[in-house]
Amino acid sequence: MRNEKIDSTVPRPKNGEKLPRGHVQEHALRYMRRGLMVGAFLPGQVMSLRKLAAGLGTSPMPVREVLSRLVAANALEETKGGSVRVPRLGPEKLNDLFAVRETLEGMAAEMAAKKSTPALVAELAAVNKQLLTAIGKRDILNCLSLNQRFHFTLYEASGSEVLMPLIESLWLQFGPTMYISLLIPSMPWNASDHEEILTGLKENNAAMVKKWCVHDIRTTCKALLSVAGSQGIELPFARALEWQFDTDN
Amino acid sequence: MRNEKIDSTVPRPKNGEKLPRGHVQEHALRYMRRGLMVGAFLPGQVMSLRKLAAGLGTSPMPVREVLSRLVAANALEETKGGSVRVPRLGPEKLNDLFAVRETLEGMAAEMAAKKSTPALVAELAAVNKQLLTAIGKRDILNCLSLNQRFHFTLYEASGSEVLMPLIESLWLQFGPTMYISLLIPSMPWNASDHEEILTGLKENNAAMVKKWCVHDIRTTCKALLSVAGSQGIELPFARALEWQFDTDN
DNA sequence: TGGTTGCAAATGTGATCTCATATTGTGATC
DNA sequence: GATCACAATATGAGATCACATTTGCAACCA
């Protein structure tokens, strides 16, 4: 993953080429989701419709639709004035969120384990190897990205079209808070749970996979809570942050 | 609940009165959600942006935003042409959906039981009494509505702001299919599980509440599967149905 | 100096318009 | 009579506009 400056402008058709229907919206949605997941938008930050549209080089129209979807997915919340902002998660809601994560992702992990294939194990092992490398290099952004890829690859293997959107909604909710909070202390990254998950998959031990997946989630929750203030994550230098990220997913 | 013909027109301010911000959208959203829950929209039916807007007496704009949200909540799916339609649920997805229901709603029921109050039990008992009356009168529409109120009242008591939206998303997904399928046979309505839930609440037995809540869901799933074809619910007379419903929720 | 009021910029909402595309209906052809 | 092509219509996406409300800021008063 290259952390090069994003070209937020919507890719236009080169010269008289076809442009797919709903192309702008799709791009805007990816941009927003990626931004939320990678910490480009801070908890509490209000998103201006017009500014976002200007940043993307489009009219406010597609952005409105995208923001609506994100509000519906609880990734954003609307203020009394109709604006939307990134939710600030207090400890109690963080606990709620991660309790549901344990339930839902534990279920997905168990389902995935029951239909595991050598190909899946190989892919997960490869991702985890990259993750270990990123950890070794203290490359936090890649740690987060690869950790997400590991989990989602596993959950996708469950084959449930119902579970995935729900899990994605949860990740979008805690994403901004997590990605910001992990910048404060030097997070002691640890992929040992992932190794246990891989072992469980190889042994076709669904219960073991579920157990360590839940353990991984619980560990993450504790880490987040240890740095989360009562009013959610607060960063004195938050405003100074301006993440640059790319949109390839 | 009165099943009078809905006045789909957006309520306008009487005479120079204040009109709340986002009033039209809110009305449209309620209209759509209600319609999905009460079987006004059939699985497979495509929703035309302009027709819906015309029916509501507004411009397509608010409707677009509402449809976006419903798509994000997986209550609607978009066709290749960009239109949206009510999803048709096959048996496998129905199973998926109800497996997640068991997990999520079982969790909510358990949480609710742990913080149950006499007031909650009284309210649930009252709703269930109405439900029994509706069953006795073979008032299917009220059965569905009251059954929903029973479950949601229970889940709300869990106090989880994370769980509720997810559960609502699930209900919106199977709502149309369920409300249509229950019109085919004379469904043997049975609220005995609800009685067990009430007993469990009174005895502060969270495990019992969860157990019977899951049992209730599983029973519903079996009933749905028994009438669902391989391509989702099919009704020869589907097109002839035109439900009239009111929007008070 | 602290709180309040008033004005101006910014913002979201809803409507209207254009355009490219998808859908549908009709007619010609095999 | 069925199929395919083409035209007419319908539809969604995106842009632009108008307006009421909210927000932010600054001047002003206590």
Side-chain angles (χ1 to χ4, degrees):
Chain A
M1 188 176 115
R2 319 169 314 277
N3 292 328
E4 60 192 20
K5 179 87 177 184
I6 180 180
D7 175 21
S8 56
T9 303
V10 173
R12 299 287 181 181
K14 299 311 170 189
N15 43 9
E17 293 297 323
K18 64 181 178 185
L19 99 161
R21 189 134 169 160
H23 186 227
V24 184
Q25 243 191 77
E26 189 183 343
H27 176 79
L29 182 59
R30 234 201 300 264
Y31 176 84
M32 290 295 304
R33 289 174 61 98
R34 182 79 181 162
L36 287 170
M37 285 290 198
V38 90
F41 309 121
L42 305 171
Q45 178 179 359
V46 298
M47 321 288 299
S48 165
L49 199 56
R50 285 175 163 88
K51 286 177 182 172
L52 273 176
L56 268 71
T58 70
S59 80
M61 192 63 45
V63 182
R64 281 166 69 173
E65 222 133 325
V66 167
L67 291 187
S68 278
R69 295 191 183 212
L70 291 173
V71 168
N74 293 289
L76 297 174
E77 65 182 6
E78 41 191 8
T79 71
K80 55 235 169 190
S83 302
V84 300
R85 72 175 155 214
V86 184
R88 215 186 282 273
L89 299 184
E92 65 293 332
K93 184 149 190 182
L94 217 77
N95 261 319
D96 252 22
L97 206 38
F98 274 73
V100 180
R101 274 197 69 193
E102 288 181 22
T103 301
L104 235 38
E105 298 180 32
M107 180 181 179
E110 190 177 12
M111 289 174 66
K114 285 176 179 169
K115 51 176 66 173
S116 174
T117 64
L120 173 66
V121 177
E123 185 178 359
L124 285 175
V127 172
N128 205 45
K129 182 161 175 267
Q130 288 183 265
L131 176 56
L132 288 171
T133 304
I135 293 176
K137 289 194 288 184
R138 298 286 188 275
D139 185 349
I140 295 183
L141 225 45
N142 263 334
C143 283
L144 294 165
S145 184
L146 288 166
N147 181 59
Q148 179 187 347
R149 174 132 37 119
F150 183 89
H151 281 268
F152 274 70
T153 302
L154 175 62
Y155 304 150
E156 286 279 7
S158 73
S160 171
E161 297 174 11
V162 178
L163 272 176
M164 285 309 298
L166 299 181
I167 293 176
E168 280 175 25
S169 167
L170 296 179
W171 279 67
L172 280 175
Q173 287 182 58
F174 73 80
T177 295
M178 177 170 181
Y179 278 65
I180 289 301
S181 67
L182 292 191
L183 298 174
I184 304 181
S186 59
M187 177 87 170
W189 270 93
N190 183 334
S192 64
D193 290 340
H194 291 190
E195 299 286 356
E196 302 284 354
I197 289 172
L198 285 172
T199 303
L201 285 174
K202 289 171 189 165
E203 298 175 357
N204 275 324
N205 187 340
M208 180 179 177
V209 173
K210 177 178 182 178
K211 171 187 171 185
W212 287 104
C213 188
V214 168
H215 183 268
D216 189 30
I217 295 168
R218 193 163 299 171
T219 303
T220 303
C221 182
K222 285 177 185 169
L224 272 185
L225 283 174
S226 68
V227 299
S230 60
Q231 294 303 319
I233 308 287
E234 285 291 351
L235 285 186
F237 52 95
R239 276 290 164 196
L241 284 177
E242 184 171 342
W243 279 98
Q244 305 175 343
F245 57 99
D246 55 340
T247 46
D248 57 357
N249 200 359
Chain B
M1 187 176 111
R2 317 169 314 279
N3 292 331
E4 60 192 20
K5 179 88 175 182
I6 182 179
D7 175 22
S8 57
T9 304
V10 173
R12 299 287 182 179
K14 299 311 170 188
N15 42 10
E17 293 297 321
K18 63 183 178 185
L19 98 160
R21 189 132 169 162
H23 186 226
V24 184
Q25 251 193 65
E26 188 184 344
H27 176 77
L29 181 59
R30 233 200 303 263
Y31 177 85
M32 290 296 304
R33 289 175 61 97
R34 182 78 181 164
L36 287 170
M37 285 292 199
V38 91
F41 308 121
L42 305 173
Q45 178 179 359
V46 297
M47 321 290 297
S48 165
L49 199 57
R50 286 176 161 87
K51 286 177 182 171
L52 273 176
L56 268 69
T58 70
S59 81
M61 192 63 45
V63 182
R64 281 167 67 173
E65 222 132 326
V66 167
L67 292 187
S68 278
R69 295 190 182 213
L70 292 173
V71 168
N74 293 291
L76 297 173
E77 66 181 7
E78 40 190 9
T79 71
K80 56 231 173 192
S83 300
V84 299
R85 73 174 154 216
V86 184
R88 214 186 282 270
L89 299 183
E92 65 294 332
K93 185 150 188 180
L94 218 79
N95 261 321
D96 251 22
L97 206 39
F98 274 73
V100 181
R101 273 197 69 193
E102 288 181 21
T103 301
L104 235 37
E105 298 180 31
M107 179 181 179
E110 189 176 13
M111 288 175 65
K114 283 177 181 170
K115 51 176 67 175
S116 174
T117 65
L120 173 67
V121 177
E123 186 178 359
L124 286 175
V127 172
N128 205 44
K129 183 162 175 266
Q130 287 182 266
L131 176 56
L132 288 171
T133 304
I135 292 176
K137 289 194 288 185
R138 299 287 187 276
D139 185 348
I140 295 182
L141 226 47
N142 265 334
C143 283
L144 294 165
S145 182
L146 289 166
N147 181 59
Q148 179 187 348
R149 176 135 32 123
F150 183 89
H151 281 268
F152 273 70
T153 302
L154 175 62
Y155 304 149
E156 285 278 8
S158 72
S160 172
E161 297 174 10
V162 178
L163 230 30
M164 285 309 298
L166 299 182
I167 294 176
E168 281 176 25
S169 168
L170 296 178
W171 279 67
L172 279 176
Q173 288 183 58
F174 72 80
T177 295
M178 176 170 181
Y179 278 65
I180 289 301
S181 66
L182 292 191
L183 298 174
I184 303 179
S186 59
M187 177 87 170
W189 270 95
N190 182 332
S192 64
D193 290 339
H194 291 190
E195 299 286 357
E196 302 283 354
I197 289 172
L198 285 172
T199 303
L201 285 174
K202 287 171 190 165
E203 297 175 359
N204 275 325
N205 188 340
M208 180 179 177
V209 173
K210 178 178 182 177
K211 171 187 171 184
W212 288 103
C213 188
V214 169
H215 183 268
D216 189 30
I217 295 168
R218 193 163 300 170
T219 303
T220 303
C221 183
K222 285 177 185 169
L224 272 186
L225 283 175
S226 69
V227 299
S230 60
Q231 293 304 320
I233 308 287
E234 284 293 350
L235 285 186
F237 52 94
R239 274 292 165 197
L241 283 176
E242 185 170 342
W243 278 100
Q244 305 175 341
F245 57 97
D246 55 338
T247 46
D248 56 358
N249 201 357

